[in-house]
PDB file of all heavy atoms in Angstrom:
ATOM      1  N   ARG A  53     -11.526 -61.746 -45.644  1.00  0.00           N
ATOM      2  CA  ARG A  53     -11.142 -63.075 -46.133  1.00  0.00           C
ATOM      3  C   ARG A  53     -11.147 -63.127 -47.659  1.00  0.00           C
ATOM      4  O   ARG A  53     -12.126 -62.749 -48.292  1.00  0.00           O
ATOM      5  CB  ARG A  53     -12.132 -64.109 -45.574  1.00  0.00           C
ATOM      6  CG  ARG A  53     -11.582 -65.477 -45.403  1.00  0.00           C
ATOM      7  CD  ARG A  53     -10.533 -65.595 -44.299  1.00  0.00           C
ATOM      8  NE  ARG A  53     -11.121 -65.875 -43.002  1.00  0.00           N
ATOM      9  CZ  ARG A  53     -11.269 -64.975 -42.050  1.00  0.00           C
ATOM     10  NH1 ARG A  53     -10.886 -63.734 -42.227  1.00  0.00           N
ATOM     11  NH2 ARG A  53     -11.795 -65.314 -40.895  1.00  0.00           N
ATOM     12  N   HIS A 272      -5.354 -68.167 -33.208  1.00  0.00           N
ATOM     13  CA  HIS A 272      -4.119 -68.241 -34.020  1.00  0.00           C
ATOM     14  C   HIS A 272      -3.152 -69.182 -33.284  1.00  0.00           C
ATOM     15  O   HIS A 272      -3.488 -70.340 -33.036  1.00  0.00           O
ATOM     16  CB  HIS A 272      -3.598 -66.807 -34.199  1.00  0.00           C
ATOM     17  CG  HIS A 272      -2.535 -66.619 -35.232  1.00  0.00           C
ATOM     18  ND1 HIS A 272      -2.184 -67.574 -36.150  1.00  0.00           N
ATOM     19  CD2 HIS A 272      -1.710 -65.540 -35.498  1.00  0.00           C
ATOM     20  CE1 HIS A 272      -1.207 -67.108 -36.936  1.00  0.00           C
ATOM     21  NE2 HIS A 272      -0.905 -65.881 -36.546  1.00  0.00           N
ATOM     22  N   ILE A 313     -13.581 -76.520 -32.087  1.00  0.00           N
ATOM     23  CA  ILE A 313     -12.707 -77.669 -31.845  1.00  0.00           C
ATOM     24  C   ILE A 313     -11.308 -77.249 -32.258  1.00  0.00           C
ATOM     25  O   ILE A 313     -11.036 -77.040 -33.447  1.00  0.00           O
ATOM     26  CB  ILE A 313     -13.175 -78.920 -32.632  1.00  0.00           C
ATOM     27  CG1 ILE A 313     -14.587 -79.276 -32.151  1.00  0.00           C
ATOM     28  CG2 ILE A 313     -12.194 -80.071 -32.439  1.00  0.00           C
ATOM     29  CD1 ILE A 313     -15.186 -80.505 -32.771  1.00  0.00           C
ATOM     30  N   GLY A 315      -7.524 -76.869 -33.376  1.00  0.00           N
ATOM     31  CA  GLY A 315      -6.680 -77.695 -34.255  1.00  0.00           C
ATOM     32  C   GLY A 315      -7.376 -78.084 -35.543  1.00  0.00           C
ATOM     33  O   GLY A 315      -6.772 -78.715 -36.407  1.00  0.00           O
ATOM     34  N   TYR A 316      -8.631 -77.679 -35.676  1.00  0.00           N
ATOM     35  CA  TYR A 316      -9.383 -78.012 -36.908  1.00  0.00           C
ATOM     36  C   TYR A 316      -9.910 -76.739 -37.544  1.00  0.00           C
ATOM     37  O   TYR A 316     -10.248 -75.783 -36.852  1.00  0.00           O
ATOM     38  CB  TYR A 316     -10.519 -79.001 -36.581  1.00  0.00           C
ATOM     39  CG  TYR A 316      -9.938 -80.396 -36.448  1.00  0.00           C
ATOM     40  CD1 TYR A 316      -9.215 -80.744 -35.313  1.00  0.00           C
ATOM     41  CD2 TYR A 316     -10.018 -81.308 -37.489  1.00  0.00           C
ATOM     42  CE1 TYR A 316      -8.593 -81.989 -35.206  1.00  0.00           C
ATOM     43  CE2 TYR A 316      -9.413 -82.552 -37.395  1.00  0.00           C
ATOM     44  CZ  TYR A 316      -8.710 -82.885 -36.253  1.00  0.00           C
ATOM     45  OH  TYR A 316      -8.089 -84.107 -36.175  1.00  0.00           O
ATOM     46  N   LYS A 364     -20.680 -75.643 -40.429  1.00  0.00           N
ATOM     47  CA  LYS A 364     -20.258 -74.237 -40.361  1.00  0.00           C
ATOM     48  C   LYS A 364     -18.842 -74.050 -40.892  1.00  0.00           C
ATOM     49  O   LYS A 364     -18.619 -73.217 -41.765  1.00  0.00           O
ATOM     50  CB  LYS A 364     -20.299 -73.765 -38.902  1.00  0.00           C
ATOM     51  CG  LYS A 364     -21.573 -73.058 -38.504  1.00  0.00           C
ATOM     52  CD  LYS A 364     -21.348 -72.429 -37.158  1.00  0.00           C
ATOM     53  CE  LYS A 364     -22.430 -71.470 -36.771  1.00  0.00           C
ATOM     54  NZ  LYS A 364     -22.076 -70.807 -35.506  1.00  0.00           N
ATOM     55  N   LYS A 366     -15.652 -73.983 -42.927  1.00  0.00           N
ATOM     56  CA  LYS A 366     -15.441 -74.202 -44.368  1.00  0.00           C
ATOM     57  C   LYS A 366     -14.414 -75.298 -44.602  1.00  0.00           C
ATOM     58  O   LYS A 366     -14.350 -75.879 -45.673  1.00  0.00           O
ATOM     59  CB  LYS A 366     -14.997 -72.902 -45.036  1.00  0.00           C
ATOM     60  CG  LYS A 366     -16.093 -71.839 -45.019  1.00  0.00           C
ATOM     61  CD  LYS A 366     -15.722 -70.646 -45.894  1.00  0.00           C
ATOM     62  CE  LYS A 366     -16.731 -69.526 -45.707  1.00  0.00           C
ATOM     63  NZ  LYS A 366     -16.650 -68.933 -44.334  1.00  0.00           N
ATOM     64  N   ASN A 371      -5.452 -78.597 -38.818  1.00  0.00           N
ATOM     65  CA  ASN A 371      -4.390 -77.648 -39.145  1.00  0.00           C
ATOM     66  C   ASN A 371      -3.125 -78.037 -38.369  1.00  0.00           C
ATOM     67  O   ASN A 371      -3.107 -79.054 -37.667  1.00  0.00           O
ATOM     68  CB  ASN A 371      -4.844 -76.200 -38.881  1.00  0.00           C
ATOM     69  CG  ASN A 371      -5.221 -75.956 -37.423  1.00  0.00           C
ATOM     70  OD1 ASN A 371      -4.439 -76.220 -36.523  1.00  0.00           O
ATOM     71  ND2 ASN A 371      -6.447 -75.468 -37.191  1.00  0.00           N
ATOM     72  N   ASP A 373      -1.838 -77.259 -35.691  1.00  0.00           N
ATOM     73  CA  ASP A 373      -1.865 -77.389 -34.231  1.00  0.00           C
ATOM     74  C   ASP A 373      -2.474 -78.698 -33.736  1.00  0.00           C
ATOM     75  O   ASP A 373      -2.373 -79.015 -32.554  1.00  0.00           O
ATOM     76  CB  ASP A 373      -2.644 -76.213 -33.627  1.00  0.00           C
ATOM     77  CG  ASP A 373      -1.959 -74.892 -33.918  1.00  0.00           C
ATOM     78  OD1 ASP A 373      -0.714 -74.886 -33.976  1.00  0.00           O
ATOM     79  OD2 ASP A 373      -2.654 -73.885 -34.099  1.00  0.00           O
TER      80      ASP A 373
HETATM   81  N1  HAX B 502     -14.748 -75.756 -34.620  1.00  0.00           N
HETATM   82  C1  HAX B 502     -15.981 -75.174 -34.600  1.00  0.00           C
HETATM   83  N2  HAX B 502     -16.393 -74.222 -35.415  1.00  0.00           N
HETATM   84  C2  HAX B 502     -15.510 -73.832 -36.366  1.00  0.00           C
HETATM   85  C3  HAX B 502     -14.233 -74.411 -36.483  1.00  0.00           C
HETATM   86  C4  HAX B 502     -13.857 -75.398 -35.556  1.00  0.00           C
HETATM   87  N3  HAX B 502     -12.643 -75.958 -35.547  1.00  0.00           N
HETATM   88  N4  HAX B 502     -13.590 -73.815 -37.507  1.00  0.00           N
HETATM   89  C5  HAX B 502     -14.453 -72.901 -38.017  1.00  0.00           C
HETATM   90  N5  HAX B 502     -15.607 -72.914 -37.312  1.00  0.00           N
HETATM   91  C6  HAX B 502     -16.753 -72.024 -37.461  1.00  0.00           C
HETATM   92  C7  HAX B 502     -16.293 -70.586 -37.258  1.00  0.00           C
HETATM   93  O1  HAX B 502     -16.208 -70.274 -35.879  1.00  0.00           O
HETATM   94  C8  HAX B 502     -17.372 -69.827 -37.995  1.00  0.00           C
HETATM   95  O2  HAX B 502     -18.500 -69.780 -37.165  1.00  0.00           O
HETATM   96  P1  HAX B 502     -19.433 -68.451 -37.092  1.00  0.00           P
HETATM   97  O3  HAX B 502     -19.986 -68.336 -38.474  1.00  0.00           O
HETATM   98  O4  HAX B 502     -20.418 -68.772 -36.047  1.00  0.00           O
HETATM   99  O5  HAX B 502     -18.528 -67.319 -36.748  1.00  0.00           O
HETATM  100  C9  HAX B 502     -17.673 -70.734 -39.162  1.00  0.00           C
HETATM  101  O6  HAX B 502     -17.212 -72.048 -38.787  1.00  0.00           O
HETATM  102  C10 HAX B 502     -16.979 -70.353 -40.447  1.00  0.00           C
HETATM  103  O7  HAX B 502     -15.603 -70.220 -40.197  1.00  0.00           O
HETATM  104  P2  HAX B 502     -14.525 -70.473 -41.332  1.00  0.00           P
HETATM  105  O8  HAX B 502     -14.756 -69.478 -42.426  1.00  0.00           O
HETATM  106  O9  HAX B 502     -14.501 -71.904 -41.722  1.00  0.00           O
HETATM  107  O10 HAX B 502     -13.161 -70.200 -40.572  1.00  0.00           O
HETATM  108  P3  HAX B 502     -12.524 -68.786 -40.231  1.00  0.00           P
HETATM  109  O11 HAX B 502     -11.689 -68.390 -41.382  1.00  0.00           O
HETATM  110  O12 HAX B 502     -13.530 -67.811 -39.743  1.00  0.00           O
HETATM  111  O13 HAX B 502     -11.616 -69.171 -38.984  1.00  0.00           O
HETATM  112  C11 HAX B 502     -10.125 -70.505 -37.741  1.00  0.00           C
HETATM  113  C12 HAX B 502     -10.469 -69.973 -39.127  1.00  0.00           C
HETATM  114  C13 HAX B 502      -8.775 -71.213 -37.819  1.00  0.00           C
HETATM  115  C14 HAX B 502      -9.989 -69.325 -36.782  1.00  0.00           C
HETATM  116  C15 HAX B 502     -11.221 -71.468 -37.287  1.00  0.00           C
HETATM  117  O14 HAX B 502     -11.252 -72.574 -38.160  1.00  0.00           O
HETATM  118  C16 HAX B 502     -11.062 -71.938 -35.864  1.00  0.00           C
HETATM  119  O15 HAX B 502     -11.485 -71.240 -34.945  1.00  0.00           O
HETATM  120  N6  HAX B 502     -10.424 -73.142 -35.628  1.00  0.00           N
HETATM  121  C17 HAX B 502     -10.162 -73.622 -34.320  1.00  0.00           C
HETATM  122  C18 HAX B 502      -8.988 -72.870 -33.717  1.00  0.00           C
HETATM  123  C19 HAX B 502      -7.698 -73.239 -34.402  1.00  0.00           C
HETATM  124  O16 HAX B 502      -7.389 -74.393 -34.621  1.00  0.00           O
HETATM  125  N7  HAX B 502      -6.873 -72.207 -34.725  1.00  0.00           N
HETATM  126  C20 HAX B 502      -5.547 -72.410 -35.301  1.00  0.00           C
HETATM  127  C21 HAX B 502      -5.503 -72.186 -36.794  1.00  0.00           C
HETATM  128  C22 HAX B 502      -4.110 -72.380 -37.347  1.00  0.00           C
HETATM  129  C23 HAX B 502      -3.260 -71.243 -36.922  1.00  0.00           C
HETATM  130  O17 HAX B 502      -3.422 -70.092 -37.277  1.00  0.00           O
HETATM  131  N8  HAX B 502      -2.336 -71.496 -36.095  1.00  0.00           N
HETATM  132  O18 HAX B 502      -1.622 -70.472 -35.626  1.00  0.00           O
END
Side-chain angles (χ1 to χ4, degrees):
R53 208 69 88 257
H272 193 12
I313 299 182
Y316 281 75
K364 265 191 168 185
K366 294 190 188 68
N371 60 54
D373 297 327

